[in-house]
């Protein structure tokens, strides 16, 4: 017999450890929060036009080409509020009626959403739109400051999705279009297609693509400096239902796949199909046990040497609606290539009394290796192109495109892991700081319209700031990065913002503790400035500490002059204090002593305090300070000093209004705050802080309850200090079984004060039927027992 109490204690300890570790790994709070009213960004939107979700940067023309619903714009790349030209691309009434007749919404689905924009040459661009569930492509040109729609419409099936809200991806490589989308109206025929003189596509088999959600696609020039004479590769990222796992429900996993640029298909087997298509699971494991995280977006950080290129990817949890967390993982191109070129394959096997299973293939591989590009070794064997590949190799890859190994992230774990609103898109910029090192800075968009700027310093997640770009809480659908400018698109508009705005850091302490690779404190200029790009250009006069957050070099600040405020007896008085950081703790002192937080006379919030019904005793000096902890150091700075002095002449009207509770609009609301001065991020920060406080209090209370329960059980004799489980060695009236206790007579309890058990039985269980033959079906016997002492035998 096991002791349930000890089991519960052990479970409680495990819960304590897991709760602390889980919370600490996800409670990444942005150091600064910039609200929509203060973001100082450049915006573009046009009345009646929605879904600005496709962007093409034309650096040669100085333009941002923007695709929206039934419209294409060219915007000044330096100031997107300046629209150079516009072209409308609407659906015809006939197409809209045809779409509506198929059960689609006329004003939502049956429109033309521009979903693809690619540059063909200096003057011509290629674009595709959903065209009321009838995908269509066309050419546009830009000349003399004007966009022109060529009107050379082409079938867009396989290039652009039918559904405007279905994910797809594409890339233009040497005038050949590689696209990943659906081939039919229902979206049930996924395809990875190359539109070229020799067009190729994937095979319609679940082992190739199983209800995929396409995310991203790009080319890697692996033929450059390749001793093996390898070919360039096109990599694609998507999620799909896993075929290799045997579950009752569908399990979604993330994938990376690749094809060779020079692939021409097979001669007999895999005609007009990819002979080089391989795919592998993409792993982004989080510390807590969970279902695989699902890929949402990818950014390719290109390098002059392609082997140093890195793919950054955003993942979100799929466990449940309550477990809302996101992660960012980074993958080395060479690690992905290694899995495809040297890894083992998975194969299908038939198991009795079961479905098909996928296991590791340990047999002999055909030569040339299935899925490999044509290289020097193949050419030496007389195989000059994929059309020359033997059927044995082609049949193998047709049936086994899945690799056994998964692609692991560079660091073995996520670079960024956080809970809260899900991440949607990301871009990554490499910045050279004052120490000469290059740091990848991640800009990630969220589902509620924020962009977060984050860095990973040797495993430490640091979110520098978050900026709300859109007034409404809408997802960011597209992010682009170009020459220190960030462009974000959503359903309602487009935003342009600089990657750095060092002027927002008000002091040396604020600038250094921000740990922003773009910014450093300029000692001679006494301001936070952008770190120069040249190697030694004035960096000796800069104070910056990214990994350590060491601000001890900052010059001493002159003492702050107090602000004199009048104290009107009976009034409510508000004293403001704005901290530089969400991570700082704000403290108030009155007359040199800490202000009591529990005193009902005060309301203390993140941007100040409110003194209720001021009296003469409230006059004096109030000091607001903030304490921020960084790498074991605490930095304290004075934010505000107020001298509250009693007003000699009291304004009678104000006092009467205060007495009657009638305050003018410039005073406070019922909560003690003016509506316009309520800190927008206050509730979110308090919520994040309070969650951890509530968890600590709950765990502390649970620990106390467990200790009390243990002491009570020891005192009552329910458990023994020497033997927790099993039968007790020493029997007492408190721990004797009922029958043994009834036989002890008067030795244990006086005959006139006997303890009896009064039980009332209600019908309901099968075991009770042996005692109550008249138990009816569906009833459940329940014993309700009460122990009591009696002093008279007549009460028995």
């Amino acid at each position: 017999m096991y002791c349930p109490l000890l089991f519960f204690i052990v479970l409680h300890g495990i819960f304590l450890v897991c709760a602390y570790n889980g919370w600490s790994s996800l409670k990444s709070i942005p150091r600064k929060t910039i609200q929509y009213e203060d973001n100082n960004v450049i915006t573009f939107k046009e009345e009646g036009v929605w879904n600005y979700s496709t962007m093409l940067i034309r650096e040669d023309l100085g333009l941002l080409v923007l695709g929206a619903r039934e419209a294409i714009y060219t915007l000044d790349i330096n100031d997107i509020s300046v629209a150079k030209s516009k072209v409308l691309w609407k659906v015809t009434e006939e197409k809209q009626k045809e779409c509506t007749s198929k059960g689609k919404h006329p004003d939502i689905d049956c429109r033309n959403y521009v979903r693809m924009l690619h540059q063909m040459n200096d003057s011509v661009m290629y674009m595709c739109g959903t065209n009321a569930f009838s995908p269509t492509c066309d050419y546009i040109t830009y000349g003399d400051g004007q966009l022109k729609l060529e009107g050379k419409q082409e079938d867009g099936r396989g290039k652009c999705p039918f559904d405007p809200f279905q994910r797809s991806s594409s890339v233009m490589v040497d005038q050949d279009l590689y696209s990943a989308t659906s081939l039919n109206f229902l979206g049930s025929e996924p395809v990875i297609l190359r539109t070229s003189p020799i067009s190729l596509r994937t095979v319609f088999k679940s082992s190739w693509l199983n209800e995929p959600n396409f995310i991203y696609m790009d080319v890697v020039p692996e033929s450059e400096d390749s001793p093996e004479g390898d070919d360039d590769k096109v990599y694609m990222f998507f999620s799909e239902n896993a075929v290799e796992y045997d579950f009752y429900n569908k399990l979604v996993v993330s994938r990376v796949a690749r094809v060779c640029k020079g692939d021409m298909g097979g001669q007999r087997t895999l005609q007009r199909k990819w002979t080089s298509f391989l795919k592998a699971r993409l792993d982004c494991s989080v510390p807590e046990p969970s279902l695989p995280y699902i890929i949402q977006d990818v950014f390719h950080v290109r390098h002059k040497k392609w082997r140093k290129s890195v793919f950054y990817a955003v993942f979100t949890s799929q466990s449940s609606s309550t477990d809302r967390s996101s992660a960012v993982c980074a993958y080395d191109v060479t690690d992905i290539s290694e899995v495809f070129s040297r890894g083992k394959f998975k194969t299908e096997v038939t198991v009795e009394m079961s479905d098909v299973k996928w296991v590791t293939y340990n047999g002999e591989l055909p030569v040339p290796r299935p899925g490999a590009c044509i290289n020097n070794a193949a050419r030496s064997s007389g195989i000059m192109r994929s059309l020359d590949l033997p059927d044995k190799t082609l049949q193998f890859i047709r049936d086994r495109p899945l690799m056994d190994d998964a692609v692991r992230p560079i660091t073995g774990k996520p670079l960024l892991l956080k809970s809260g609103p899900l991440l949607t898109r990301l871009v990554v910029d490499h910045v050279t700081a004052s120490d000469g090192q290059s740091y990848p800075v991640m800009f990630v968009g969220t589902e509620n319209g924020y962009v977060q700027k984050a860095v990973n310093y040797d495993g430490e997640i640091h979110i520098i700031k978050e900026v709300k770009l859109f007034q409404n809480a809408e997802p960011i659908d597209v992010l682009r990065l170009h020459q220190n400018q960030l462009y974000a698109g959503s359903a309602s508009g487009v935003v342009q913002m600089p990657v750095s705005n060092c002027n927002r850091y008000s002091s040396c302490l604020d600038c250094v503790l921000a740990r922003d690779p773009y910014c450093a404190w300029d000692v001679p200029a006494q301001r936070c400035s952008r770190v120069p790009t040249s190697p030694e250009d004035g960096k000796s006069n800069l104070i910056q500490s990214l990994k350590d957050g060491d601000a001890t070099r900052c010059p001493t600040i002159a003492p702050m002059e107090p602000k004199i405020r009048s104290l009107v007896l009976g009034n409510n008085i508000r004293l403001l204090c704005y901290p530089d950081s969400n991570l700082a703790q704000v403290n108030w002192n009155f007359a040199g002593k800490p202000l009591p937080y529990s005193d009902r006379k005060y309301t203390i919030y993140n941007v100040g305090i409110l003194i209720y019904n001021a009296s003469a005793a409230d006059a004096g000096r109030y000091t607001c300070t903030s304490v921020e902890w960084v790498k074991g150091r605490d930095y304290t700075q004075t934010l505000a000093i107020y001298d509250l002095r009693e007003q000699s002449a009291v304004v009678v009207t104000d006092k009467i209004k205060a007495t009657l509770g009638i305050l003018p609009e410039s005073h406070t609301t019922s909560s003690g705050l003016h509506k316009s001065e309520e800190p927008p991020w206050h509730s979110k920060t308090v919520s994040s802080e309070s969650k951890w406080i509530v968890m600590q209090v709950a765990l502390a209370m649970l620990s106390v309850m467990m200790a009390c329960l243990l002491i009570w059980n020891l005192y009552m004799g329910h458990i023994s200090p020497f033997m927790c489980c099993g039968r007790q060695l020493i029997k007492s009236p408190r721990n004797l079984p009922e029958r043994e206790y009834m036989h002890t007579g008067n030795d244990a309890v006086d005959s006139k004060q006997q303890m009896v058990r009064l039980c009332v039985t209600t019908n309901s269980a099968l075991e009770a039927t042996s005692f109550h033959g008249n138990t009816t079906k569906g009833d459940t016997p329940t014993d309700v027992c009460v122990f009591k002492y009696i002093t008279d035998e007549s009460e028995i």
Side-chain angles (χ1 to χ4, degrees), residues 486-702:
L486 189 67
Y487 306 92
S490 72
S492 65
V494 186
V495 166
Q496 174 188 353
M497 63 170 282
V499 294
S500 65
N501 192 349
C502 301
N503 294 331
R504 287 192 180 272
Y505 304 121
S506 58
S507 64
C508 178
L509 195 65
D510 188 24
C511 181
V512 176
L513 294 186
R515 302 165 70 190
D516 189 335
Y518 294 98
C519 303
W521 183 257
D522 190 331
V523 177
Q526 290 297 297
R527 60 187 174 92
C528 197
S529 305
R530 176 72 186 261
V531 176
T533 55
S534 56
E536 299 297 334
D537 188 9
K539 291 185 178 180
S540 59
N541 295 323
L542 299 178
I543 301 176
Q544 188 185 56
S545 179
L546 301 180
K547 295 181 180 179
D548 298 329
D550 185 3
T552 55
R553 291 175 54 200
C554 282
T556 304
I557 302 175
M560 181 177 292
E561 291 294 328
K563 298 178 182 179
I564 299 175
R565 292 287 301 272
S566 297
L567 184 151
V568 180
L569 298 178
N571 270 13
N572 295 341
I573 300 174
R574 185 170 59 253
L575 304 178
L576 298 179
C577 177
Y578 297 95
D580 291 331
S581 169
N582 295 340
L583 306 178
Q585 178 181 334
V586 177
N587 300 315
W588 281 90
N589 286 345
F590 172 55
K593 296 181 180 179
L595 205 63
Y597 279 69
S598 58
D599 196 333
R600 294 187 177 181
K601 187 175 184 61
Y602 306 103
T603 294
I604 301 177
Y605 53 97
N606 278 25
V607 295
I609 60 171
L610 185 68
I611 305 172
Y612 293 99
N613 193 21
S615 63
D618 296 319
R621 174 162 292 188
Y622 292 81
T623 304
C624 175
T625 60
S626 69
V627 181
E628 187 169 357
W629 290 270
V630 180
K631 291 291 188 177
R633 299 185 184 93
D634 59 278
Y635 297 95
T636 304
Q637 62 175 331
T638 302
L639 303 177
I641 302 176
Y642 294 96
D643 274 346
L644 200 57
R645 300 179 181 177
E646 185 177 353
Q647 189 171 340
S648 57
V650 179
V651 181
V652 178
T653 55
D654 283 350
K655 187 171 182 179
I656 293 173
K657 288 182 180 180
T659 305
L660 297 175
I662 305 172
L663 297 179
E665 289 187 5
S666 61
H667 285 70
T668 61
T669 61
S670 59
S671 62
L673 288 174
H674 192 281
K675 291 182 180 179
S676 63
E677 295 183 11
E678 176 70 35
W681 48 265
H682 168 65
S683 59
K684 181 172 64 176
T685 305
V686 171
S687 175
S688 300
E689 298 283 346
S690 61
K691 283 181 181 178
W692 179 232
I693 294 173
V694 168
M695 181 178 290
Q696 287 178 315
V697 172
L699 293 177
M701 292 178 62
L702 185 58

Side-chain angles (χ1 to χ4, degrees), residues 235 237 256 311 331-341 407:
Y235 287 91
F237 297 81
V256 56
F311 288 106
Y331 304 90
D332 200 320
V333 169
T334 55
D335 291 340
I336 301 175
S337 179
E338 188 74 12
V339 169
F340 289 132
S341 60
V407 179

Side-chain angles (χ1 to χ4, degrees), residues 258 260 275-276 278 337-345 361 365-375 377-378 383 389-390 392-394 396-397 402-405:
R258 71 118 208 247
C260 301
T275 65
S276 56
L278 295 173
S337 179
E338 188 74 12
V339 169
F340 289 132
S341 60
R342 302 184 185 277
K344 292 186 176 182
F345 292 84
Y361 179 81
L365 291 178
V367 178
R369 179 183 169 91
C373 300
I374 305 300
N375 54 19
I383 300 174
L389 288 170
K392 192 173 183 180
T393 294
L394 298 179
F396 185 98
I397 202 64
L402 179 61
M403 308 305 298
D404 184 58
D405 298 329

